[in-house]
């Protein structure tokens, strides 16, 4: 027991929370017990500031086999196959030690996926950094990308896509959100549940050391300049160990040797043990004398809170323990019998026969105090709606502006990033990184799986509710332009300090928007992660609710490319273009300002657009389809020209200013092509789905992009645009 | 005759199943997965040493894997003239095991590189390349952090003189200049044969572009050439 006057402080609890512990437990906890409460009631493990808001999210649907609450969500894909997928943040560790922080973020999410019994087949990552004119930010970017590649490449899991944006708000607190997806048979989902009293609890994989101790608490604090000291809080990854752990785990699952399993992530043995017992409503004890150690003299609480990587807890029937141990031995891995499932409802920590801590598991997992934090509309909110767009409206050199946008940090080619990742291992990557979304083929099935991650955080900052809804709509459209029906989503909700009422307001509004869009588009939320306290020296990041969306196409042969495949095709602009320059990338590029009204979002129209795209792909009506996003129509046209070095001749007659027509970011728009023979069928279909459209021109094979708008003309050589677009990021990121 | 093929599995191999799949897709034949602890192999006609990160590539790529029990069998089968194909990490392992000369070192830009590259077929009179035309330019992906080939001047002279440089990194038009080697390989070397002509090591991954749906089929002829050589099929 501690004799500190305020024993709760050391464990990150408030005095009220400490009093609640006393009341629930009916006695004074000892030091170890209080440490267990401290991590389990942290925001990172207990979601105490977010759970009430997360309950708004739609989580059900016929496609959902497993919703939130397990290691990962699972949805049905068809043909007996299911996908387990989830996204998680590793922001603070990456800020302090970018390579290991990012690498262990990847490792952690991969374990979540194979803990469901799924073989991981694809990863995405969503990254945010400050501006690249800062040497420290360059080192963070280089380190994070190398760390993601270093772990994922070694695992043999392809990294097939993701998204990357830069903004000063992320300067000291980058975002590293890692997404992983695995495939499994729909009738073979495993859960993190410690059921069956008398069953053996096995600890497998790596030894336990002092790395990453209190990582969960670290994630629940703001960053500051003194965080160099936090380096010991960052875990160290060993992807080779994890590769062995993956293969050994899948082998024992294949042979039906396990009742339940759970990876050791945040708060290590504490959270995995308590959660397994809590889910099963059983009890469980762990004997710390049995835990294989990396170093001598570790204290009980250090063992319980260690976040050493590449470890799993298994629950195994006694008759199968020897067979499990044999499989792990084949893979040169440790597997020890570290405890038992009990029926007393307690999560108990022992040293041999001595009980060091014993707490009803549900107090740790289900009695976390949940808070409605105070909210306040931020000062910036009304002020930032007004904006002066004269720099953009009067620019005139549209080709020059397009070239500058394509070479800007947020719109330039991401090849520098994704070529450092193995995107092809596994032989399933049919649409590689670099387009709207990626697509995988599914073994033993004619179906294809689309994946995409997205979030424009400038929109979310300026109008949190609509911005979050746009992130969902955009991720869904990224799947739909490939011809895939969006199926379900995971998310990573990155925000500042929730104890600040303005930040909490952003969080409440953004989750409202997320809930609304997910319901409207019939893409339930199957899980995710909340990351608060993303602040550096008191400055919060832009609110960033990153969306990871998956979708399915019935026949992968019907997938639609993003780029123009040939000259002489009709170019169709689908959706409604408005005079919307607010929050645009072009305005930001010219002024450095984040302001203006965020573009309108019509979710019903978005839904119809998705339905049209899925039907048009199935009917093989379109030759290409690309979703319009940052940079508007002009940037989308250039992006469509790049893959095949094509050109286009387009004339716009939309009644808008040239600036808005070319660079406005009106939502729910797609640039598609059709050949003459199918044009009528495409236009009929667009009318049936009540979608606004106009046939704006033709693709060409002369490598010239020409856009006429009244008396204005944008004329550019595609090769010059592509050169600027390709070179920008490698040059900006070079150390 | 039936062709017996296997793909080795080291701890950390990750292209093992991919090679089984592409071998089957290209030839219609099965291949066994063989665990690295096997110390006695049947007389396979073809052994594929696959890509990946054997033993995490800790110490040095392939440096630990060469001591796996199965490698003595690979050396024995190579001595019998059976075909041995090492791809990426497999190539690294074969150089560590002494079945191929030289070594692979960090890419010149010090970064992992995964993308399609173009290769020129330098020798199509081999058991692995008979279905390619001489000078044919292939699109095949690379995916490695340590693919820069180097060897002694004497080894290089022998490789050139004996036609054992099988693939070189080249430009799309087939021309070869140092800038075309993404990893800084000596003499743009992408793949080489052993002295007897039955061992091929290459850094690019032919198994990754052997089906149209994956974006190309230029890797396919490598597998069908092997089948021809082993089954006495058509020679070009």
């Amino acid at each position: 027991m501690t004799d500190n006057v305020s024993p709760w402080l050391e464990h990150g609890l408030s005095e009220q929370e400490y009093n609640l512990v006393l009341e629930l437990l009916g006695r004074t906890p000892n030091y170890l017990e209080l440490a267990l409460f401290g991590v389990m009631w942290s925001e990172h493990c207990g979601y105490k500031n977010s759970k009430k808001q997360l309950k708004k999210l739609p989580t059900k649907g016929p496609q959902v086999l497993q919703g939130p609450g397990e290691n990962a969500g699972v949805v049905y894909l068809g043909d007996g196959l299911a996908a387990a997928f989830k996204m998680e943040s590793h922001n603070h560790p990456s800020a302090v030690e970018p390579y290991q922080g990012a690498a262990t973020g990847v490792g952690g999410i991969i374990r979540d996926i194979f803990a469901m019994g799924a073989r991981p087949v694809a990863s995405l990552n969503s990254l945010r950094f400050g501006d690249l004119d800062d040497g420290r930010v360059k080192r963070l970017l280089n380190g994070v990308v190398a760390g993601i590649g270093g772990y994922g490449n070694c695992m043999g899991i392809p990294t097939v896509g993701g998204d990357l944006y830069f903004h000063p708000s992320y300067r000291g607190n980058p975002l590293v959100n890692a997404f992983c997806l695995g495939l499994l048979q729909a009738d073979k989902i495993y859960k993190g549940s410690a059921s069956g009293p008398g069953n053996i609890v096995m600890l497998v994989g790596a030894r336990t050391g002092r790395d990453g101790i209190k990582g969960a608490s670290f994630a629940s604090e703001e960053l500051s300049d003194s965080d160099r000291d936090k380096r010991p809080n960052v875990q160290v990854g060993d992807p080779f160990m994890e590769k062995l752990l993956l293969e050994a785990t899948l082998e024992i699952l294949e042979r039906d040797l396990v009742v339940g399993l759970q990876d050791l992530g945040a708060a290590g043995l504490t959270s995995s043990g308590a959660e397994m017992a809590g889910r099963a409503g059983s009890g469980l004890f762990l004997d710390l004398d049995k835990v294989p150690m990396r170093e001598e003299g570790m204290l009980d609480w250090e063992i319980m809170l260690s976040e050493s990587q590449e470890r799993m807890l298994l629950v195994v029937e006694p008759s199968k323990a020897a067979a499990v141990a044999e499989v792990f031995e084949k893979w040169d891995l440790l597997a020890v019998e570290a405890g038992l499932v009990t029926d007393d409802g307690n999560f108990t920590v022992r040293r041999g026969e001595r009980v060091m801590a014993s707490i009803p598991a549900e107090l740790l997992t289900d009695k976390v105090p949940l808070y409605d934090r105070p909210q306040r509309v931020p000062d910036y909110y009304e002020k930032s709606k007004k904006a002066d767009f004269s720099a953009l409206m009067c620019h005139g050199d549209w080709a020059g502006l397009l070239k500058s946008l394509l070479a800007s940090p947020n719109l330039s080619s991401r090849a520098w990033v994704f070529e450092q990742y193995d995107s092809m291992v596994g032989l399933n990557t049919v649409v590689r990184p670099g387009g709207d979304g990626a697509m995988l083929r599914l073994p033993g099935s004619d179906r294809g799986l689309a994946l995409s991650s997205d979030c424009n955080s400038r929109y979310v900052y300026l109008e949190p509710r609509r911005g979050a809804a746009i992130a969902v709509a955009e991720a869904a459209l990224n799947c739909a332009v490939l011809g895939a029906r969006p199926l379900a989503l995971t998310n990573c909700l990155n925000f500042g300090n929730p104890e600040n009422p303005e930040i909490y307001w952003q969080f409440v509004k953004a989750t409202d928007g997320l809930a609304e869009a997910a319901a409207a588009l019939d893409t339930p939320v199957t899980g995710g992660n909340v990351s608060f306290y993303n602040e550096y020296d008191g400055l919060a990041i832009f609110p960033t609710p990153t969306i990871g969306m998956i979708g399915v196409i019935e026949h992968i042969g019907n997938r639609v490319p993003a780029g123009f495949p040939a000259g002489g095709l009709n170019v169709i602009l689908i959706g409604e273009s408005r005079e919307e320059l607010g929050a645009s990338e072009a305005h930001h590029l010219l002024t450095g300002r984040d302001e203006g009204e965020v573009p309108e979002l019509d979710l019903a129209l978005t839904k119809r657009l998705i339905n049209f795209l899925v039907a048009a792909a199935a009917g093989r009506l379109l030759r290409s389809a690309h979703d319009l996003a940052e940079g508007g129509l002009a940037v989308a046209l250039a992006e469509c020209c790049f893959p095949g070095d094509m050109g286009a001749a387009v004339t716009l007659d939309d009644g808008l200013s040239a600036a808005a027509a070319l660079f406005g970011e009106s939502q729910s728009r797609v640039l598609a092509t059709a050949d003459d023979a199918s044009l009528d069928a495409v236009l009929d279909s667009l009318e049936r789905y009540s979608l606004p459209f106009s046939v704006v021109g033709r693709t060409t094979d002369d490598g010239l992009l020409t856009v006429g708008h009244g008396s204005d003309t944008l004329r550019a050589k595609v090769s010059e645009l592509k050169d600027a677009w390709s070179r920008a990021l490698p040059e900006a990121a070079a150390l | 005759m039936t062709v017996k093929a296997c793909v080795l599995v080291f701890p950390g191999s990750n292209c093992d199943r991919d090679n089984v799949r592409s071998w089957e897709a290209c030839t219609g034949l099965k291949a066994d997965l063989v665990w690295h602890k096997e110390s006695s192999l049947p007389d396979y006609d073809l052994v594929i040493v696959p890509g990946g990160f054997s033993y995490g590539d800790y110490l040095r790529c392939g440096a630990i894997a060469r001591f796996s029990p199965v490698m003595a069998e690979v050396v024995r089968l190579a001595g019998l003239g059976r075909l041995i194909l090492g791809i990426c990490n497999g190539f690294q392992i074969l150089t560590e095991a002494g079945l191929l000369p030289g070594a692979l070192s960090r890419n010149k830009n010090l970064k992992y590189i995964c993308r399609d590259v173009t290769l020129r077929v330098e020798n199509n009179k081999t058991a692995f390349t008979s279905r390619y035309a001489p000078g044919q330019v292939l699109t095949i992906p690379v995916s490695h952090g340590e693919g820069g080939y180097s060897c002694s001047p004497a080894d290089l002279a022998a490789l050139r003189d004996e036609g054992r440089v099988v693939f070189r990194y080249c430009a799309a038009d087939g021309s070869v200049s140092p800038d075309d080697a993404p990893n800084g390989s000596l003499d743009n070397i992408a793949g080489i044969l052993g002295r007897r002509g039955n061992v091929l090591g290459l850094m690019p991954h032919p198994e990754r572009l052997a089906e149209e749906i994956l974006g190309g089929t230029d890797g396919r002829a490598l597998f069908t050439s092997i089948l021809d050589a082993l089954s006495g099929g058509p020679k070009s």
Side-chain angles (χ1 to χ4, degrees), chain B residues 5-8 19-20 23 46-50 83-87 223:
Chain B
C6 73
V7 179
L8 304 187
N19 275 285
V20 171
W23 173 251
L46 169 67
V47 178
I48 300 177
V49 191
L83 299 186
I84 314 290
L85 170 62
I87 300 171
F223 295 101

Side-chain angles (χ1 to χ4, degrees), chain A residues 11-23:
Chain A
H11 302 288
L13 296 170
S14 68
E15 186 171 2
Q16 292 88 329
E17 287 168 342
Y18 179 71
N19 288 331
L20 182 60
V21 168
L22 293 181
E23 182 193 322

Side-chain angles (χ1 to χ4, degrees), chain A residues 48-65:
Chain A
K48 60 188 171 189
N49 295 306
S50 53
K51 211 172 222 169
K52 287 198 170 184
Q53 301 303 325
L54 299 181
K55 285 181 180 159
K56 299 181 297 199
L57 304 178
T59 60
K60 295 192 170 64
Q63 68 272 51
V64 179
L65 302 178

Side-chain angles (χ1 to χ4, degrees), chain B residues 125-144:
Chain B
K125 303 210 170 357
T126 82
F128 302 91
T129 54
S130 60
R131 288 214 182 192
Y132 294 115
Q136 187 177 343
V137 176
L138 313 178
T139 298
I140 305 269
V142 293
S143 187
H144 59 245

Side-chain angles (χ1 to χ4, degrees), chain A residues 119 142 153-154 156 238-240 243-244 330-332 416 419-430 432 441 556, chain B residues 11-15 17-18 21-22 35 37 53 55-56 58 111-116 141 143 207-209 211 213-214:
Chain A
R119 177 174 280 280
N142 278 271
N153 297 349
C154 183
D238 179 353
F240 173 59
K243 170 71 173 162
L244 303 184
K330 169 188 160 187
W331 290 95
D332 297 322
W416 179 86
E419 287 182 357
Q420 296 186 54
Y421 307 144
D422 190 337
S423 55
M424 302 174 220
V425 62
L427 303 188
N428 295 318
T429 313
V430 171
R432 296 190 199 170
R441 61 175 170 176
I556 196 166
Chain B
S13 294
N14 63 31
C15 302
R17 289 184 305 275
D18 293 1
R21 196 168 168 186
S22 284
W35 184 235
K37 287 178 185 169
F53 290 71
Y55 293 94
Y58 298 149
K111 293 186 191 306
Y112 196 93
I113 300 171
C114 176
R115 62 177 166 86
D116 286 347
S143 187
E207 83 279 13
R208 292 189 178 186
L209 277 185
E211 295 177 79
I213 191 171
L214 297 176

Side-chain angles (χ1 to χ4, degrees), chain A residues 612-623:
Chain A
F612 161 77
L613 289 164
V614 171
R620 304 182 77 109
L621 293 179
L622 300 178
R623 297 291 304 276

Side-chain angles (χ1 to χ4, degrees), chain B residues 23-161:
Chain B
W23 173 251
E24 184 171 355
C26 296
T27 67
L29 300 175
K30 303 279 183 200
D32 299 335
L33 285 169
V34 169
W35 184 235
H36 73 115
K37 287 178 185 169
E38 295 291 336
S39 55
S40 168
L41 295 188
D43 289 350
Y44 282 108
D45 302 303
L46 169 67
V47 178
I48 300 177
V49 191
F53 290 71
S54 57
Y55 293 94
D57 278 352
Y58 298 149
L59 184 61
R60 197 172 65 238
C61 299
I64 306 177
R66 65 158 290 210
F67 292 107
S68 279
V70 78
M71 285 309 294
E73 284 293 276
V74 174
V75 172
R76 180 181 71 81
L77 291 172
L80 293 175
R82 304 304 163 98
L83 299 186
I84 314 290
L85 170 62
I87 300 171
C88 198
N89 194 223
F91 183 15
Q92 294 161 342
I93 293 170
L94 294 180
T95 61
E96 289 287 339
L99 286 169
L100 292 171
L104 286 310
S105 54
R106 283 291 291 278
N107 294 346
K108 67 181 172 189
N109 72 351
L110 303 181
K111 293 186 191 306
Y112 196 93
I113 300 171
C114 176
R115 62 177 166 86
D116 286 347
V117 299
T118 38
L119 303 178
R120 192 172 72 190
V121 178
E122 304 290 38
N123 181 353
N124 76 330
K125 303 210 170 357
T126 82
F128 302 91
T129 54
S130 60
R131 288 214 182 192
Y132 294 115
Q136 187 177 343
V137 176
L138 313 178
T139 298
I140 305 269
V142 293
S143 187
H144 59 245
E146 306 188 23
Y149 183 76
S150 63
C151 64
S152 70
D155 281 337
L156 182 61
L159 286 171
R160 286 173 171 169
D161 294 349

